[in-house]
Amino acid sequence: MQIENEYQMVEPEFGPSGPLYVRWAAQMALGLQTGVPWMMCKQNDAPDPIINTCNGLICGETFVGPNSPSKPALWTENWTTRYPIYGNDTKLRSTEDISFAVALFIAKKGGSFVSYYMYHGGTNFGRFASSYVTTSYYDGAPLDEYGLIWRPTWGHLRELHAAVKLSSEPLMFGRYSNISLGQEQEAHVFETELKCVAFLVNFDKHQAPTVVFRNRSLQLAPKSISILSDCRTVVFETAKVNTQHGSRTTEVVQSLSDMHNWKAFKEPIPHDISKAVYTGNQLLEHLSTTKDETDYLWYIVSYEYKQIDDDHLGLLNVESRAHILHAFVNGVFVGSVHGSHEARGNIILKANISLKEGQNTISLLSVMVGSPDSGGHMEQRSFGIRKVSIQQGQQPLHILNNELWGYQVGLFGEGNRIYTQEALYSVKWTDIHNLTYIPLTWYQTTFATPIGNDAVTLNLTSMGKGEVWVNGDSIGRYWVSFKTPSGKPSQSLYHIPQHFLKPRDNLLVLVEEMGGNPLQITVNKVTITTVCGNVNELSAPALHTQGRDPAVHLRCQRGKHISALEFASYGNPAGDCTTFSTGSCHAESSESVVRQACIGKRVCSIPVSPTKFGGDPCPSIQKSLLVVAKCR
């Protein structure tokens, strides 16, 4: 069981109280007498008997080790991809890198436990994501956001753990030794009287050296670890991925482009301070005012303009510590600004505004995109608008902070739940037209339920930012207008779980803050349509099959079967699972053999052996089998 999480990262901020708190938390946990060990993740000063553990990408290199000889080496968060946030490109971690890190942790640190973060990706429904974190969460995990197998990561890790399990006896009870095999090569050996396992490590990222281990010569791939069962037979190599590859495909099943099927409702811009929920001569903090029950807080103030000359223009300046700010003057949108995960602190809006003689209403919408999730003194952080001023020509700056402010918590449509079937027509919806594509507009339509059990998504690339509901259930915030450095949305597909759907006429409601175009939204299915295997005849046979020969193993997702072959070649095919062609050596029977073994089946296996293909087409060449197939 765990008490605290990565507290060491903020412990220095609390001075002498930090270590005292660590000891108090440990004593409190032990006092519960749960009967199972306790651990503190990423806490090197965890007091006995609390186990200090490692979180990170390369714990085989960064972990300082257990702080007591009686404690095991545990890796509690092995990050399978990078943290997903709006405004950043997705950074998928390679299969080879994950397996290298795990094998090194077991070999070099005596690791006995590895927990993947995340092993199964998911969806941050509703408002559950933290600051700037995308609705899609760890989609590149071994099991993706939709529960589909992410290949080849899932299969390669399965082989790695099968190899570890095969040698569990020497790993747990064997004598450990570390042997240098070269400048950047080493062997980690665990040996009992009867059993032995060796991890041969090559840290060189570019060279493939040949090393000698126990009178045997072996070539190690760049940055790789080879696991030798009985210290002789290579049963797994981190850099050689022999397991099945697969690629996901998004298929449009319904376009929502018919203008006549959409309705719109303009979110009212509050302007009457007398109707505000709260009033006061100060700027309130965002989260303490909303109680985190909504992302939105309206700040409303009245400004009296006295005409001096013909210039009706002014400059509105707003400083905020929220994540997004939308500004309206007399109900007219005048500008937006937003921050980012990296650039925290003030966001500043400067907008030229047109003023009328007499009273003008300034309505400022403060928006949070999740609450903060880490750091010290979180209770002291403040969010929301901090300073508001207006500059008129050469006149002195007019600061509005201490004027009478009115506050409305949340959006009107949000508070009245107009995204549900029960309250949908509590407001007047109008036909959609081009003039509707303005900030703070609600949209609603219906769509048919796609046939089958494939994962269902909405493609919201044409929208800006907001939240989306299907049959009254929120599938999360969307923010496709916040582009990444590569110019793409951080996330464009938004998951609709099957159990959110009805047999027909699903209600889709969105609130759009920026002014996107709903007519380009599509309903999509996400499937794995292409599977591929590429295995060399010298590769180690897959441990989970207990076969004698290396083989290409193909498997379609549940409910589908192998319907067609895109490519099959036994010999020395060129390329990989995405770009491929026959080489100088090619068995003419390749396609017929694979077709007979696989077409119409969900699962098939083809040994990489000359006898399977009617003989050796080129005895002097090392051969491989590359197969690319379609599932439907």
Side-chain angles (χ1 to χ4, degrees), residues 309-611:
D309 50 33
D310 293 335
D311 187 5
H312 289 260
L313 298 178
L315 179 64
L316 175 65
N317 297 276
V318 186
E319 294 182 18
S320 174
R321 290 182 184 170
H323 299 144
I324 303 176
L325 174 70
H326 305 297
F328 299 79
V329 175
N330 298 322
V332 177
F333 176 73
V334 296
S336 291
V337 67
H338 68 80
S340 68
H341 188 268
E342 285 76 20
R344 304 185 185 189
N346 280 356
I347 56 175
I348 299 175
L349 172 72
K350 293 182 179 293
N352 291 313
I353 58 175
S354 179
L355 298 167
K356 64 182 181 181
E357 183 78 19
Q359 295 297 324
N360 293 262
T361 302
I362 299 173
S363 306
L364 304 174
L365 182 58
S366 175
V367 187
M368 297 292 290
V369 186
S371 297
D373 62 349
S374 62
H377 304 289
M378 291 179 67
E379 78 287 353
Q380 297 178 16
R381 299 190 200 181
S382 62
F383 297 90
I385 295 174
R386 312 299 297 168
K387 183 179 180 180
V388 182
S389 64
I390 289 182
Q391 181 78 54
Q392 280 184 243
Q394 301 302 316
Q395 297 185 41
L397 187 69
H398 191 128
I399 298 176
L400 305 178
N401 286 32
N402 297 323
E403 300 289 337
L404 179 64
W405 286 87
Y407 297 91
Q408 176 181 303
V409 176
L411 302 179
F412 174 86
E414 182 185 27
N416 288 276
R417 296 174 56 82
I418 66 172
Y419 50 81
T420 64
Q421 190 68 56
E422 295 77 18
L424 184 65
Y425 292 104
S426 63
V427 298
K428 184 177 180 180
W429 297 85
T430 61
D431 291 336
I432 193 171
H433 50 79
N434 289 337
L435 295 179
T436 308
Y437 306 151
I438 56 178
L440 282 186
T441 303
W442 292 80
Y443 299 100
Q444 59 108 336
T445 189
T446 59
F447 66 93
T449 299
I451 298 172
N453 295 317
D454 292 326
V456 180
T457 65
L458 288 177
N459 188 327
L460 300 178
T461 304
S462 63
M463 304 303 289
K465 183 197 172 294
E467 189 172 350
V468 55
W469 291 263
V470 173
N471 296 324
D473 290 313
S474 174
I475 64 171
R477 303 181 183 99
Y478 64 89
W479 196 357
V480 295
S481 61
F482 191 175
K483 298 297 193 291
T484 69
S486 65
K488 300 177 181 178
S490 299
Q491 180 183 349
S492 56
L493 297 179
Y494 288 79
H495 181 206
I496 309 174
Q498 288 281 350
H499 68 273
F500 279 20
L501 298 172
K502 301 189 299 185
R504 52 186 290 181
D505 297 331
N506 297 284
L507 174 64
L508 170 63
V509 179
L510 308 94
V511 58
E512 170 56 49
E513 296 175 32
M514 306 290 193
N517 180 4
L519 298 184
Q520 295 180 24
I521 295 174
T522 59
V523 181
N524 308 294
K525 292 199 301 185
V526 178
T527 59
I528 298 175
T529 55
T530 302
V531 293
C532 169
N534 187 7
V535 178
N536 187 277
E537 65 181 349
L538 299 182
S539 301
L543 291 172
H544 72 276
T545 64
Q546 297 181 343
R548 294 183 178 180
D549 296 316
V552 168
H553 303 280
L554 300 180
R555 178 186 295 266
C556 295
Q557 70 185 77
R558 186 170 298 175
K560 300 187 183 301
H561 63 273
I562 297 171
S563 58
L565 285 183
E566 191 169 341
F567 182 80
S569 177
Y570 173 68
N572 62 347
D576 53 28
C577 290
T578 55
T579 57
F580 39 79
S581 62
T582 55
S584 59
C585 173
H586 169 71
E588 295 298 328
S589 62
S590 298
E591 184 172 336
S592 61
V593 169
V594 176
R595 183 178 297 277
Q596 183 177 1
C598 298
I599 293 297
K601 299 178 182 179
R602 183 191 171 206
V603 181
C604 67
S605 179
I606 312 101
V608 185
S609 169
T611 56

Side-chain angles (χ1 to χ4, degrees), residues 4-23 43 45 374-381:
E4 262 301 347
N5 185 60
E6 300 185 353
Y7 181 75
Q8 181 175 298
M9 298 176 68
V10 300
E11 187 175 340
E13 297 184 38
F14 297 93
S17 299
L20 290 175
Y21 170 71
V22 172
R23 291 194 291 272
Q43 192 71 41
D45 61 350
S374 62
H377 304 289
M378 291 179 67
E379 78 287 353
Q380 297 178 16
R381 299 190 200 181

